[in-house]
mmCIF file of all heavy atoms in Angstrom:
data_model
loop_
_atom_site.group_PDB
_atom_site.id
_atom_site.type_symbol
_atom_site.label_atom_id
_atom_site.label_comp_id
_atom_site.label_asym_id
_atom_site.label_seq_id
_atom_site.Cartn_x
_atom_site.Cartn_y
_atom_site.Cartn_z
ATOM 1 N N PRO A 636 2.611 23.865 16.545
ATOM 2 C CA PRO A 636 3.293 24.821 15.679
ATOM 3 C C PRO A 636 2.374 25.461 14.632
ATOM 4 O O PRO A 636 2.855 26.238 13.803
ATOM 5 C CB PRO A 636 4.361 23.948 14.993
ATOM 6 C CG PRO A 636 3.758 22.602 14.958
ATOM 7 C CD PRO A 636 2.875 22.465 16.176
ATOM 8 N N GLU A 639 2.522 29.215 14.462
ATOM 9 C CA GLU A 639 3.772 29.685 13.870
ATOM 10 C C GLU A 639 3.747 29.544 12.350
ATOM 11 O O GLU A 639 4.214 30.428 11.628
ATOM 12 C CB GLU A 639 4.946 28.866 14.452
ATOM 13 C CG GLU A 639 6.316 29.350 13.958
ATOM 14 C CD GLU A 639 7.455 28.578 14.601
ATOM 15 O OE1 GLU A 639 7.184 27.612 15.339
ATOM 16 O OE2 GLU A 639 8.601 28.990 14.386
ATOM 17 N N ILE A 640 3.165 28.450 11.880
ATOM 18 C CA ILE A 640 3.039 28.254 10.427
ATOM 19 C C ILE A 640 2.149 29.365 9.829
ATOM 20 O O ILE A 640 2.463 29.929 8.776
ATOM 21 C CB ILE A 640 2.483 26.859 10.126
ATOM 22 C CG1 ILE A 640 3.510 25.780 10.487
ATOM 23 C CG2 ILE A 640 2.077 26.726 8.656
ATOM 24 C CD1 ILE A 640 2.996 24.353 10.408
ATOM 25 N N GLY A 834 11.729 19.503 18.422
ATOM 26 C CA GLY A 834 10.826 20.467 17.830
ATOM 27 C C GLY A 834 11.273 20.971 16.466
ATOM 28 O O GLY A 834 12.209 20.451 15.851
ATOM 29 N N PRO A 835 10.628 22.056 15.968
ATOM 30 C CA PRO A 835 10.930 22.573 14.619
ATOM 31 C C PRO A 835 12.394 22.953 14.436
ATOM 32 O O PRO A 835 12.943 22.771 13.340
ATOM 33 C CB PRO A 835 10.010 23.803 14.527
ATOM 34 C CG PRO A 835 8.871 23.494 15.451
ATOM 35 C CD PRO A 835 9.472 22.743 16.592
ATOM 36 N N ASP A 836 13.033 23.508 15.462
ATOM 37 C CA ASP A 836 14.448 23.933 15.305
ATOM 38 C C ASP A 836 15.353 22.732 15.038
ATOM 39 O O ASP A 836 16.286 22.811 14.217
ATOM 40 C CB ASP A 836 14.893 24.687 16.545
ATOM 41 C CG ASP A 836 14.257 26.072 16.661
ATOM 42 O OD1 ASP A 836 13.765 26.579 15.621
ATOM 43 O OD2 ASP A 836 14.223 26.622 17.774
ATOM 44 N N ALA A 837 15.110 21.635 15.743
ATOM 45 C CA ALA A 837 15.921 20.426 15.524
ATOM 46 C C ALA A 837 15.698 19.880 14.147
ATOM 47 O O ALA A 837 16.638 19.409 13.471
ATOM 48 C CB ALA A 837 15.590 19.359 16.585
ATOM 49 N N VAL A 838 14.422 19.904 13.662
ATOM 50 C CA VAL A 838 14.127 19.456 12.307
ATOM 51 C C VAL A 838 14.846 20.340 11.287
ATOM 52 O O VAL A 838 15.457 19.858 10.342
ATOM 53 C CB VAL A 838 12.611 19.483 12.055
ATOM 54 C CG1 VAL A 838 12.305 19.227 10.584
ATOM 55 C CG2 VAL A 838 11.905 18.449 12.929
ATOM 56 N N CYS A 839 14.756 21.668 11.495
ATOM 57 C CA CYS A 839 15.418 22.614 10.600
ATOM 58 C C CYS A 839 16.914 22.340 10.530
ATOM 59 O O CYS A 839 17.516 22.312 9.437
ATOM 60 C CB CYS A 839 15.158 24.046 11.072
ATOM 61 S SG CYS A 839 16.079 25.304 10.168
ATOM 62 N N GLN A 840 17.547 22.103 11.684
ATOM 63 C CA GLN A 840 18.977 21.852 11.716
ATOM 64 C C GLN A 840 19.344 20.591 10.933
ATOM 65 O O GLN A 840 20.286 20.604 10.146
ATOM 66 C CB GLN A 840 19.459 21.735 13.161
ATOM 67 C CG GLN A 840 20.972 21.509 13.278
ATOM 68 C CD GLN A 840 21.437 21.426 14.726
ATOM 69 O OE1 GLN A 840 20.650 21.590 15.642
ATOM 70 N NE2 GLN A 840 22.709 21.142 14.941
ATOM 71 N N LEU A 842 17.614 19.104 8.513
ATOM 72 C CA LEU A 842 17.359 19.308 7.087
ATOM 73 C C LEU A 842 18.445 20.185 6.473
ATOM 74 O O LEU A 842 18.885 19.978 5.337
ATOM 75 C CB LEU A 842 15.992 19.926 6.860
ATOM 76 C CG LEU A 842 14.765 19.056 7.180
ATOM 77 C CD1 LEU A 842 13.486 19.824 6.933
ATOM 78 C CD2 LEU A 842 14.770 17.754 6.375
ATOM 79 N N SER A 843 18.904 21.170 7.225
ATOM 80 C CA SER A 843 19.913 22.090 6.715
ATOM 81 C C SER A 843 21.261 21.393 6.551
ATOM 82 O O SER A 843 22.099 21.848 5.746
ATOM 83 C CB SER A 843 20.058 23.279 7.675
ATOM 84 O OG SER A 843 18.853 24.004 7.770
ATOM 85 N N VAL A 861 3.721 15.774 12.201
ATOM 86 C CA VAL A 861 3.864 16.298 10.841
ATOM 87 C C VAL A 861 3.892 17.829 10.877
ATOM 88 O O VAL A 861 4.645 18.458 10.104
ATOM 89 C CB VAL A 861 2.725 15.790 9.924
ATOM 90 C CG1 VAL A 861 2.932 16.237 8.500
ATOM 91 C CG2 VAL A 861 2.640 14.268 9.956
ATOM 92 N N SER A 862 3.092 18.415 11.739
ATOM 93 C CA SER A 862 3.094 19.875 11.856
ATOM 94 C C SER A 862 4.465 20.380 12.320
ATOM 95 O O SER A 862 4.966 21.404 11.829
ATOM 96 C CB SER A 862 1.997 20.335 12.826
ATOM 97 O OG SER A 862 0.722 20.051 12.300
ATOM 98 N N VAL A 863 5.051 19.694 13.271
ATOM 99 C CA VAL A 863 6.388 20.106 13.758
ATOM 100 C C VAL A 863 7.387 19.999 12.617
ATOM 101 O O VAL A 863 8.230 20.898 12.419
ATOM 102 C CB VAL A 863 6.806 19.211 14.962
ATOM 103 C CG1 VAL A 863 8.268 19.443 15.298
ATOM 104 C CG2 VAL A 863 5.923 19.476 16.155
ATOM 105 N N PHE A 864 7.333 18.895 11.880
ATOM 106 C CA PHE A 864 8.253 18.749 10.752
ATOM 107 C C PHE A 864 8.033 19.854 9.730
ATOM 108 O O PHE A 864 8.989 20.448 9.224
ATOM 109 C CB PHE A 864 8.083 17.395 10.071
ATOM 110 C CG PHE A 864 8.923 17.262 8.833
ATOM 111 C CD1 PHE A 864 10.260 16.919 8.928
ATOM 112 C CD2 PHE A 864 8.409 17.567 7.572
ATOM 113 C CE1 PHE A 864 11.065 16.858 7.794
ATOM 114 C CE2 PHE A 864 9.200 17.501 6.443
ATOM 115 C CZ PHE A 864 10.521 17.153 6.557
ATOM 116 N N ALA A 865 6.757 20.162 9.438
ATOM 117 C CA ALA A 865 6.452 21.194 8.444
ATOM 118 C C ALA A 865 6.998 22.528 8.884
ATOM 119 O O ALA A 865 7.571 23.271 8.047
ATOM 120 C CB ALA A 865 4.934 21.262 8.237
ATOM 121 N N ALA A 866 6.866 22.875 10.143
ATOM 122 C CA ALA A 866 7.403 24.143 10.642
ATOM 123 C C ALA A 866 8.908 24.175 10.501
ATOM 124 O O ALA A 866 9.500 25.194 10.086
ATOM 125 C CB ALA A 866 6.991 24.338 12.099
ATOM 126 N N GLY A 867 9.554 23.066 10.811
ATOM 127 C CA GLY A 867 11.018 22.995 10.660
ATOM 128 C C GLY A 867 11.433 23.082 9.203
ATOM 129 O O GLY A 867 12.465 23.711 8.875
ATOM 130 N N MET A 868 10.653 22.502 8.324
ATOM 131 C CA MET A 868 10.960 22.531 6.880
ATOM 132 C C MET A 868 10.839 23.967 6.360
ATOM 133 O O MET A 868 11.678 24.422 5.577
ATOM 134 C CB MET A 868 10.030 21.613 6.131
ATOM 135 C CG MET A 868 10.208 21.648 4.645
ATOM 136 S SD MET A 868 9.090 20.457 3.819
ATOM 137 C CE MET A 868 8.895 21.281 2.250
ATOM 138 N N ILE A 869 9.790 24.702 6.782
ATOM 139 C CA ILE A 869 9.645 26.102 6.366
ATOM 140 C C ILE A 869 10.870 26.909 6.813
ATOM 141 O O ILE A 869 11.411 27.726 6.049
ATOM 142 C CB ILE A 869 8.345 26.714 6.946
ATOM 143 C CG1 ILE A 869 7.108 26.030 6.323
ATOM 144 C CG2 ILE A 869 8.292 28.196 6.671
ATOM 145 C CD1 ILE A 869 5.807 26.457 6.960
ATOM 146 N N LYS A 870 11.324 26.672 8.021
ATOM 147 C CA LYS A 870 12.491 27.400 8.530
ATOM 148 C C LYS A 870 13.741 27.091 7.694
ATOM 149 O O LYS A 870 14.554 27.979 7.421
ATOM 150 C CB LYS A 870 12.751 27.057 9.997
ATOM 151 C CG LYS A 870 11.694 27.598 10.962
ATOM 152 C CD LYS A 870 12.082 27.337 12.406
ATOM 153 C CE LYS A 870 11.116 28.026 13.371
ATOM 154 N NZ LYS A 870 11.542 27.907 14.773
ATOM 155 N N ALA A 871 13.863 25.825 7.287
ATOM 156 C CA ALA A 871 15.008 25.453 6.446
ATOM 157 C C ALA A 871 14.893 26.123 5.082
ATOM 158 O O ALA A 871 15.914 26.539 4.493
ATOM 159 C CB ALA A 871 15.084 23.933 6.298
ATOM 160 N N GLU A 872 13.664 26.234 4.585
ATOM 161 C CA GLU A 872 13.472 26.908 3.279
ATOM 162 C C GLU A 872 13.801 28.380 3.374
ATOM 163 O O GLU A 872 14.358 28.973 2.439
ATOM 164 C CB GLU A 872 12.018 26.712 2.811
ATOM 165 C CG GLU A 872 11.724 25.302 2.310
ATOM 166 C CD GLU A 872 10.302 25.128 1.815
ATOM 167 O OE1 GLU A 872 9.365 25.681 2.462
ATOM 168 O OE2 GLU A 872 10.113 24.445 0.797
ATOM 169 N N PHE A 878 13.339 21.895 -1.407
ATOM 170 C CA PHE A 878 12.910 20.499 -1.232
ATOM 171 C C PHE A 878 11.902 20.110 -2.303
ATOM 172 O O PHE A 878 11.123 20.955 -2.786
ATOM 173 C CB PHE A 878 12.311 20.302 0.165
ATOM 174 C CG PHE A 878 13.236 20.657 1.280
ATOM 175 C CD1 PHE A 878 13.058 21.823 2.016
ATOM 176 C CD2 PHE A 878 14.314 19.847 1.596
ATOM 177 C CE1 PHE A 878 13.919 22.164 3.039
ATOM 178 C CE2 PHE A 878 15.186 20.173 2.628
ATOM 179 C CZ PHE A 878 14.990 21.344 3.351
#
Side-chain angles (χ1 to χ4, degrees):
E639 184 177 7
I640 291 172
D836 289 341
V838 171
C839 173
Q840 181 179 356
L842 292 179
S843 299
V861 185
S862 294
V863 170
F864 175 82
M868 176 177 152
I869 294 173
K870 290 186 173 186
E872 287 181 320
F878 302 106

